[in-house]
Amino acid sequence: MFKKILSRIRNIRIKPVIDFGKYLTKKIILTIKILLIAFFLIEVFGFFFLKNNSYYWENRFQFISNNSFRITLLNTDPPTKFWTYVPNREIETSAAYVLHKNISWVEYWTSFKTNHLGLIETNFNKDDSEVDYLILGDSFLEGQGGGPWLSKKSISKDYPKIINAGLQGASMVSMHILESYISETIKINNVVLVLISNDFKRFVDLNFLPVEECIENGFCNTINDWEPIEDFKSEEELLALSKKKFKKRQYLIENLGYNPALHFFSTTYRLYFYYKNIIEHHYNPGREGGVDHFKGNSTALLKLHEKYPNMKIIFIPQRDEVGMLGKINHDTRNVINFMDKENINYNFCELTLSDYMLIDGHPNEDGYKKIYNCLNQEIFINK
């Protein structure tokens, strides 16, 4: 029996099996080569043309001079709490990004001086009782990223009298109440709004950041927290503090479902999640979470427009809306449709991806120059 089996084994032709194995190996190697070439080409194309317009808020760590915030009150019944910066102070702000324990940098480090109102200092003085333009906005008006662009240092001596009321994280409601606060003692001849669509989906009350927590403890929420610093010494110090906070925030970053460092550096990896999000939004487009916020903020816009019929609006695209992969987002469509429906005039201020910081969602110095030109267009030309 054993001899018969052994005889049959000897008669099996081994060569076809070996030939098939070689053929399969060649095909696998060829496939790997094609994939590597495709990956290389996508990365090269992406480096030059598909610039990264993503956000990495979870990897951002912000710093501000110690004791920079104050709580103030609007004269309502009961009084309404809101915040400004501490008046007449030089304030430094900075943001660092940590994508990995070995990949980090300081994205920006700027400073500004506040006036007696706790807002960025302009040509409006304490003894003035009238202002030509109250400019309302959020961090884009304040100048996060590229630095203050509408301040006493940047405007000419013959510039109209203005108040820069840009405060980070502002909503339309907070802008409306800030206008109410300022107009109690100052005559405002006209208003200019410098807006992004995010202003319509933020909290509808003035405590858009948990005020006491933000003011008293120096942080505002999990992602957009501020680390108060007594003295800004060096970038090395900022990065060391950022890395410590990065370790504490690991759970949040792990829940993102992707690797931030790989997402930032690899076009292929980024495109995978880009199309994955498109598919997910197609089958699950629900956006109910911001409906109440939009209603309250759009009502605030109507109140401002009713009070200032000649009010001017500069509408700015956000980082994710520019670049080859950029597109007008859902919130921007809602805002545009609302303003068109209510016959509220506005003008776009066009920015490109090169007008934004390397990774942060705010414009760089060139971007703010464009916004400044858009503002001048509204003030001096589109009267």
Short mmCIF file of all heavy atoms in Angstrom, two decimals, residues 210-259:
data_model
loop_
_atom_site.label_atom_id
_atom_site.label_comp_id
_atom_site.label_asym_id
_atom_site.label_seq_id
_atom_site.Cartn_x
_atom_site.Cartn_y
_atom_site.Cartn_z
N PRO A 210 -18.45 79.17 28.76
CA PRO A 210 -18.91 79.21 30.16
C PRO A 210 -18.12 80.30 30.88
O PRO A 210 -16.97 80.11 31.26
CB PRO A 210 -18.56 77.81 30.67
CG PRO A 210 -18.46 76.97 29.44
CD PRO A 210 -17.95 77.87 28.37
N VAL A 211 -18.72 81.48 31.01
CA VAL A 211 -17.97 82.70 31.32
C VAL A 211 -17.13 82.59 32.59
O VAL A 211 -15.94 82.81 32.57
CB VAL A 211 -18.92 83.91 31.41
CG1 VAL A 211 -18.17 85.13 31.90
CG2 VAL A 211 -19.52 84.19 30.06
N GLU A 212 -17.78 82.21 33.71
CA GLU A 212 -17.02 82.17 34.95
C GLU A 212 -15.83 81.22 34.84
O GLU A 212 -14.73 81.51 35.29
CB GLU A 212 -17.91 81.74 36.12
CG GLU A 212 -18.92 82.80 36.57
CD GLU A 212 -20.16 82.81 35.69
OE1 GLU A 212 -20.28 81.95 34.80
OE2 GLU A 212 -21.01 83.69 35.89
N GLU A 213 -16.07 80.07 34.21
CA GLU A 213 -15.02 79.07 34.07
C GLU A 213 -13.88 79.60 33.20
O GLU A 213 -12.71 79.45 33.49
CB GLU A 213 -15.61 77.80 33.45
CG GLU A 213 -14.76 76.58 33.67
CD GLU A 213 -15.51 75.31 33.25
OE1 GLU A 213 -16.59 75.04 33.79
OE2 GLU A 213 -14.99 74.63 32.38
N CYS A 214 -14.25 80.29 32.13
CA CYS A 214 -13.25 80.82 31.20
C CYS A 214 -12.47 81.95 31.85
O CYS A 214 -11.25 82.00 31.76
CB CYS A 214 -13.95 81.30 29.94
SG CYS A 214 -12.82 81.98 28.71
N ILE A 215 -13.19 82.86 32.51
CA ILE A 215 -12.53 84.03 33.08
C ILE A 215 -11.72 83.67 34.31
O ILE A 215 -10.57 84.04 34.45
CB ILE A 215 -13.58 85.10 33.47
CG1 ILE A 215 -14.48 85.43 32.28
CG2 ILE A 215 -12.90 86.34 34.00
CD1 ILE A 215 -13.81 86.08 31.14
N GLU A 216 -12.33 82.92 35.21
CA GLU A 216 -11.71 82.67 36.50
C GLU A 216 -10.64 81.59 36.45
O GLU A 216 -9.64 81.66 37.16
CB GLU A 216 -12.78 82.30 37.53
CG GLU A 216 -13.76 83.46 37.79
CD GLU A 216 -14.92 83.03 38.66
OE1 GLU A 216 -14.91 81.88 39.14
OE2 GLU A 216 -15.84 83.84 38.85
N ASN A 217 -10.85 80.59 35.63
CA ASN A 217 -9.90 79.47 35.61
C ASN A 217 -9.01 79.45 34.37
O ASN A 217 -8.12 78.62 34.25
CB ASN A 217 -10.66 78.13 35.68
CG ASN A 217 -11.49 78.03 36.95
OD1 ASN A 217 -11.10 78.56 37.98
ND2 ASN A 217 -12.64 77.39 36.87
N GLY A 218 -9.27 80.37 33.45
CA GLY A 218 -8.38 80.50 32.31
C GLY A 218 -8.60 79.51 31.19
O GLY A 218 -7.76 79.36 30.32
N PHE A 219 -9.70 78.78 31.20
CA PHE A 219 -9.98 77.91 30.05
C PHE A 219 -11.46 77.94 29.74
O PHE A 219 -12.29 78.25 30.59
CB PHE A 219 -9.51 76.48 30.30
CG PHE A 219 -10.21 75.77 31.42
CD1 PHE A 219 -11.35 75.02 31.18
CD2 PHE A 219 -9.72 75.85 32.72
CE1 PHE A 219 -12.01 74.36 32.21
CE2 PHE A 219 -10.37 75.19 33.75
CZ PHE A 219 -11.50 74.45 33.51
N CYS A 220 -11.78 77.62 28.49
CA CYS A 220 -13.14 77.82 28.02
C CYS A 220 -13.89 76.54 27.71
O CYS A 220 -15.05 76.44 27.98
CB CYS A 220 -13.13 78.73 26.79
SG CYS A 220 -12.28 80.29 27.11
N ASN A 221 -13.27 75.59 27.07
CA ASN A 221 -13.86 74.27 26.93
C ASN A 221 -12.78 73.29 26.52
O ASN A 221 -11.61 73.63 26.47
CB ASN A 221 -15.04 74.26 25.94
CG ASN A 221 -14.62 74.64 24.53
OD1 ASN A 221 -13.59 74.21 24.06
ND2 ASN A 221 -15.43 75.45 23.87
N THR A 222 -13.17 72.06 26.24
CA THR A 222 -12.19 71.00 26.04
C THR A 222 -11.19 71.31 24.93
O THR A 222 -10.00 71.11 25.08
CB THR A 222 -12.89 69.67 25.72
OG1 THR A 222 -13.89 69.44 26.72
CG2 THR A 222 -11.91 68.52 25.74
N ILE A 223 -11.69 71.81 23.80
CA ILE A 223 -10.82 72.03 22.66
C ILE A 223 -10.25 73.45 22.65
O ILE A 223 -9.06 73.65 22.49
CB ILE A 223 -11.59 71.77 21.35
CG1 ILE A 223 -12.05 70.31 21.29
CG2 ILE A 223 -10.71 72.09 20.14
CD1 ILE A 223 -12.90 69.99 20.08
N ASN A 224 -11.12 74.45 22.82
CA ASN A 224 -10.67 75.84 22.71
C ASN A 224 -10.26 76.43 24.05
O ASN A 224 -10.60 77.56 24.37
CB ASN A 224 -11.79 76.67 22.08
CG ASN A 224 -12.09 76.24 20.66
OD1 ASN A 224 -11.17 76.06 19.88
ND2 ASN A 224 -13.35 76.07 20.34
N ASP A 225 -9.55 75.66 24.83
CA ASP A 225 -9.15 76.14 26.14
C ASP A 225 -7.93 77.05 26.03
O ASP A 225 -7.14 76.97 25.11
CB ASP A 225 -8.86 74.98 27.09
CG ASP A 225 -7.80 74.03 26.54
OD1 ASP A 225 -7.59 74.02 25.32
OD2 ASP A 225 -7.18 73.33 27.34
N TRP A 226 -7.83 77.96 27.00
CA TRP A 226 -6.71 78.90 27.04
C TRP A 226 -5.86 78.60 28.26
O TRP A 226 -6.38 78.38 29.35
CB TRP A 226 -7.22 80.34 27.13
CG TRP A 226 -7.81 80.83 25.86
CD1 TRP A 226 -9.13 80.78 25.49
CD2 TRP A 226 -7.12 81.42 24.79
NE1 TRP A 226 -9.29 81.31 24.25
CE2 TRP A 226 -8.08 81.73 23.79
CE3 TRP A 226 -5.78 81.75 24.55
CZ2 TRP A 226 -7.73 82.33 22.59
CZ3 TRP A 226 -5.45 82.35 23.36
CH2 TRP A 226 -6.42 82.64 22.39
N GLU A 227 -4.58 78.62 28.07
CA GLU A 227 -3.64 78.45 29.17
C GLU A 227 -3.09 79.83 29.51
O GLU A 227 -2.36 80.43 28.72
CB GLU A 227 -2.50 77.52 28.76
CG GLU A 227 -1.48 77.26 29.85
CD GLU A 227 -1.98 76.26 30.89
OE1 GLU A 227 -2.88 75.46 30.57
OE2 GLU A 227 -1.46 76.29 32.02
N PRO A 228 -3.47 80.38 30.68
CA PRO A 228 -2.95 81.71 31.03
C PRO A 228 -1.47 81.63 31.40
O PRO A 228 -1.04 80.72 32.12
CB PRO A 228 -3.79 82.11 32.24
CG PRO A 228 -4.26 80.82 32.83
CD PRO A 228 -4.36 79.83 31.71
N ILE A 229 -0.67 82.55 30.88
CA ILE A 229 0.76 82.58 31.14
C ILE A 229 1.14 83.96 31.67
O ILE A 229 0.73 84.98 31.12
CB ILE A 229 1.57 82.27 29.87
CG1 ILE A 229 1.29 80.84 29.40
CG2 ILE A 229 3.07 82.44 30.11
CD1 ILE A 229 2.07 80.45 28.17
N GLU A 230 1.91 83.98 32.72
CA GLU A 230 2.34 85.24 33.32
C GLU A 230 3.31 85.98 32.41
O GLU A 230 3.24 87.19 32.24
CB GLU A 230 3.01 84.97 34.68
CG GLU A 230 3.25 86.22 35.51
CD GLU A 230 1.95 86.88 35.95
OE1 GLU A 230 1.00 86.16 36.32
OE2 GLU A 230 1.88 88.12 35.91
N ASP A 231 4.22 85.22 31.79
CA ASP A 231 5.22 85.85 30.94
C ASP A 231 5.57 84.91 29.79
O ASP A 231 6.02 83.79 30.02
CB ASP A 231 6.47 86.17 31.77
CG ASP A 231 7.54 86.87 30.96
OD1 ASP A 231 7.18 87.53 29.97
OD2 ASP A 231 8.73 86.75 31.31
N PHE A 232 5.37 85.37 28.55
CA PHE A 232 5.72 84.58 27.38
C PHE A 232 7.24 84.67 27.19
O PHE A 232 7.76 85.73 26.82
CB PHE A 232 5.01 85.12 26.13
CG PHE A 232 3.57 84.72 26.02
CD1 PHE A 232 2.64 85.12 26.96
CD2 PHE A 232 3.14 83.94 24.97
CE1 PHE A 232 1.31 84.77 26.86
CE2 PHE A 232 1.80 83.57 24.84
CZ PHE A 232 0.89 83.99 25.79
N LYS A 233 7.93 83.59 27.43
CA LYS A 233 9.40 83.63 27.37
C LYS A 233 9.96 83.13 26.04
O LYS A 233 10.82 83.75 25.44
CB LYS A 233 9.98 82.82 28.53
CG LYS A 233 9.67 83.41 29.90
CD LYS A 233 10.25 82.55 31.01
CE LYS A 233 9.92 83.14 32.38
NZ LYS A 233 10.43 82.27 33.48
N SER A 234 9.50 81.96 25.60
CA SER A 234 10.07 81.38 24.39
C SER A 234 9.12 80.37 23.77
O SER A 234 8.18 79.89 24.42
CB SER A 234 11.40 80.67 24.73
OG SER A 234 11.15 79.55 25.57
N GLU A 235 9.37 80.03 22.50
CA GLU A 235 8.58 79.01 21.83
C GLU A 235 8.79 77.65 22.49
O GLU A 235 7.88 76.83 22.53
CB GLU A 235 8.95 78.95 20.35
CG GLU A 235 8.48 80.15 19.55
CD GLU A 235 8.58 79.93 18.05
OE1 GLU A 235 9.02 78.82 17.63
OE2 GLU A 235 8.24 80.86 17.29
N GLU A 236 10.01 77.43 22.99
CA GLU A 236 10.30 76.15 23.65
C GLU A 236 9.40 75.95 24.86
O GLU A 236 8.90 74.85 25.11
CB GLU A 236 11.77 76.10 24.08
CG GLU A 236 12.77 75.95 22.95
CD GLU A 236 12.93 77.22 22.12
OE1 GLU A 236 12.56 78.32 22.63
OE2 GLU A 236 13.39 77.12 20.97
N GLU A 237 9.17 77.03 25.61
CA GLU A 237 8.29 76.95 26.77
C GLU A 237 6.86 76.64 26.35
O GLU A 237 6.18 75.79 26.96
CB GLU A 237 8.33 78.28 27.54
CG GLU A 237 7.38 78.30 28.76
CD GLU A 237 7.21 79.71 29.31
OE1 GLU A 237 7.12 80.66 28.51
OE2 GLU A 237 7.13 79.83 30.54
N LEU A 238 6.40 77.29 25.30
CA LEU A 238 5.04 77.06 24.81
C LEU A 238 4.86 75.62 24.33
O LEU A 238 3.83 74.99 24.60
CB LEU A 238 4.71 78.03 23.67
CG LEU A 238 4.67 79.52 24.04
CD1 LEU A 238 4.42 80.36 22.80
CD2 LEU A 238 3.61 79.80 25.09
N LEU A 239 5.87 75.10 23.64
CA LEU A 239 5.78 73.72 23.14
C LEU A 239 5.83 72.72 24.29
O LEU A 239 5.13 71.70 24.25
CB LEU A 239 6.92 73.45 22.15
CG LEU A 239 6.80 74.15 20.80
CD1 LEU A 239 8.02 73.89 19.95
CD2 LEU A 239 5.54 73.69 20.07
N ALA A 240 6.63 72.99 25.31
CA ALA A 240 6.69 72.09 26.46
C ALA A 240 5.34 72.02 27.17
O ALA A 240 4.86 70.93 27.54
CB ALA A 240 7.78 72.56 27.43
N LEU A 241 4.68 73.18 27.32
CA LEU A 241 3.36 73.21 27.94
C LEU A 241 2.33 72.50 27.06
O LEU A 241 1.45 71.79 27.56
CB LEU A 241 2.92 74.66 28.18
CG LEU A 241 3.65 75.42 29.31
CD1 LEU A 241 3.29 76.90 29.25
CD2 LEU A 241 3.27 74.84 30.66
N SER A 242 2.45 72.69 25.76
CA SER A 242 1.51 72.06 24.81
C SER A 242 1.61 70.55 24.87
O SER A 242 0.59 69.84 24.83
CB SER A 242 1.79 72.55 23.39
OG SER A 242 1.61 73.94 23.29
N LYS A 243 2.80 70.03 24.94
CA LYS A 243 3.00 68.58 24.97
C LYS A 243 2.44 67.97 26.25
O LYS A 243 1.92 66.84 26.24
CB LYS A 243 4.48 68.25 24.81
CG LYS A 243 5.00 68.52 23.41
CD LYS A 243 6.49 68.25 23.28
CE LYS A 243 6.98 68.55 21.88
NZ LYS A 243 8.43 68.31 21.73
N LYS A 244 2.53 68.71 27.35
CA LYS A 244 1.94 68.23 28.60
C LYS A 244 0.43 68.12 28.47
O LYS A 244 -0.19 67.15 28.91
CB LYS A 244 2.30 69.17 29.75
CG LYS A 244 3.73 69.05 30.24
CD LYS A 244 3.97 69.98 31.42
CE LYS A 244 5.41 69.89 31.90
NZ LYS A 244 5.66 70.83 33.03
N LYS A 245 -0.17 69.14 27.85
CA LYS A 245 -1.62 69.14 27.66
C LYS A 245 -2.03 68.10 26.62
O LYS A 245 -3.12 67.55 26.68
CB LYS A 245 -2.08 70.53 27.23
CG LYS A 245 -1.79 71.61 28.27
CD LYS A 245 -2.27 72.97 27.82
CE LYS A 245 -3.78 73.05 27.87
NZ LYS A 245 -4.29 74.38 27.49
N PHE A 246 -1.15 67.86 25.66
CA PHE A 246 -1.41 66.87 24.62
C PHE A 246 -1.62 65.48 25.25
O PHE A 246 -2.52 64.73 24.84
CB PHE A 246 -0.24 66.84 23.64
CG PHE A 246 -0.35 65.79 22.57
CD1 PHE A 246 -1.22 65.94 21.50
CD2 PHE A 246 0.43 64.65 22.62
CE1 PHE A 246 -1.32 64.98 20.50
CE2 PHE A 246 0.35 63.69 21.62
CZ PHE A 246 -0.53 63.86 20.57
N LYS A 247 -0.84 65.16 26.24
CA LYS A 247 -0.97 63.86 26.92
C LYS A 247 -2.33 63.75 27.60
O LYS A 247 -2.97 62.70 27.57
CB LYS A 247 0.15 63.69 27.95
CG LYS A 247 1.53 63.52 27.35
CD LYS A 247 2.59 63.37 28.42
CE LYS A 247 3.98 63.19 27.82
NZ LYS A 247 5.03 63.09 28.87
N LYS A 248 -2.79 64.85 28.20
CA LYS A 248 -4.08 64.84 28.89
C LYS A 248 -5.25 64.76 27.91
O LYS A 248 -6.34 64.32 28.27
CB LYS A 248 -4.22 66.09 29.76
CG LYS A 248 -3.22 66.16 30.91
CD LYS A 248 -3.42 67.44 31.71
CE LYS A 248 -2.42 67.51 32.86
NZ LYS A 248 -2.57 68.77 33.64
N ARG A 249 -5.01 65.19 26.68
CA ARG A 249 -6.08 65.24 25.69
C ARG A 249 -6.08 64.01 24.77
O ARG A 249 -6.83 63.96 23.79
CB ARG A 249 -5.94 66.51 24.86
CG ARG A 249 -7.27 67.01 24.28
CD ARG A 249 -7.05 68.18 23.35
NE ARG A 249 -6.82 69.42 24.07
CZ ARG A 249 -6.61 70.60 23.48
NH1 ARG A 249 -6.63 70.67 22.16
NH2 ARG A 249 -6.39 71.67 24.18
N GLN A 250 -5.25 63.02 25.07
CA GLN A 250 -5.10 61.86 24.21
C GLN A 250 -6.43 61.15 23.94
O GLN A 250 -6.69 60.72 22.81
CB GLN A 250 -4.11 60.86 24.83
CG GLN A 250 -2.65 61.15 24.55
CD GLN A 250 -2.31 61.01 23.08
OE1 GLN A 250 -2.92 60.26 22.34
NE2 GLN A 250 -1.31 61.77 22.63
N TYR A 251 -7.26 61.04 24.96
CA TYR A 251 -8.53 60.33 24.80
C TYR A 251 -9.40 60.99 23.74
O TYR A 251 -10.08 60.33 22.96
CB TYR A 251 -9.28 60.28 26.14
CG TYR A 251 -9.94 61.59 26.53
CD1 TYR A 251 -11.27 61.86 26.22
CD2 TYR A 251 -9.21 62.58 27.19
CE1 TYR A 251 -11.85 63.05 26.56
CE2 TYR A 251 -9.79 63.78 27.53
CZ TYR A 251 -11.11 64.01 27.22
OH TYR A 251 -11.69 65.21 27.55
N LEU A 252 -9.36 62.32 23.71
CA LEU A 252 -10.16 63.06 22.73
C LEU A 252 -9.62 62.85 21.32
O LEU A 252 -10.37 62.65 20.37
CB LEU A 252 -10.15 64.54 23.09
CG LEU A 252 -10.98 65.48 22.22
CD1 LEU A 252 -12.46 65.16 22.37
CD2 LEU A 252 -10.72 66.93 22.60
N ILE A 253 -8.31 62.87 21.18
CA ILE A 253 -7.67 62.70 19.88
C ILE A 253 -7.87 61.28 19.37
O ILE A 253 -8.11 61.06 18.18
CB ILE A 253 -6.18 63.07 19.98
CG1 ILE A 253 -6.04 64.56 20.31
CG2 ILE A 253 -5.44 62.73 18.68
CD1 ILE A 253 -4.64 65.01 20.65
N GLU A 254 -7.80 60.31 20.26
CA GLU A 254 -8.00 58.91 19.86
C GLU A 254 -9.41 58.67 19.36
O GLU A 254 -9.64 57.81 18.51
CB GLU A 254 -7.68 57.98 21.04
CG GLU A 254 -6.18 57.92 21.36
CD GLU A 254 -5.90 57.18 22.67
OE1 GLU A 254 -6.89 56.76 23.33
OE2 GLU A 254 -4.72 57.04 23.02
N ASN A 255 -10.38 59.44 19.87
CA ASN A 255 -11.77 59.28 19.44
C ASN A 255 -12.06 59.88 18.07
O ASN A 255 -13.17 59.74 17.54
CB ASN A 255 -12.71 59.92 20.48
CG ASN A 255 -12.78 59.12 21.76
OD1 ASN A 255 -12.50 57.93 21.77
ND2 ASN A 255 -13.13 59.77 22.86
N LEU A 256 -11.08 60.56 17.48
CA LEU A 256 -11.28 61.15 16.16
C LEU A 256 -11.47 60.09 15.08
O LEU A 256 -12.11 60.32 14.07
CB LEU A 256 -10.08 62.03 15.79
CG LEU A 256 -9.90 63.33 16.58
CD1 LEU A 256 -8.59 64.00 16.19
CD2 LEU A 256 -11.06 64.27 16.35
N GLY A 257 -10.86 58.92 15.30
CA GLY A 257 -10.98 57.85 14.32
C GLY A 257 -9.92 57.89 13.23
O GLY A 257 -9.98 57.15 12.26
N TYR A 258 -8.95 58.79 13.36
CA TYR A 258 -7.84 58.84 12.40
C TYR A 258 -6.60 59.39 13.10
O TYR A 258 -6.67 59.96 14.19
CB TYR A 258 -8.20 59.70 11.19
CG TYR A 258 -8.52 61.14 11.49
CD1 TYR A 258 -7.52 62.10 11.61
CD2 TYR A 258 -9.85 61.56 11.63
CE1 TYR A 258 -7.81 63.42 11.90
CE2 TYR A 258 -10.15 62.88 11.91
CZ TYR A 258 -9.12 63.80 12.03
OH TYR A 258 -9.42 65.11 12.31
N ASN A 259 -5.47 59.22 12.43
CA ASN A 259 -4.20 59.71 12.96
C ASN A 259 -3.97 61.13 12.46
O ASN A 259 -3.78 61.34 11.26
CB ASN A 259 -3.07 58.78 12.50
CG ASN A 259 -1.72 59.17 13.07
OD1 ASN A 259 -1.25 60.28 12.86
ND2 ASN A 259 -1.10 58.26 13.80
#
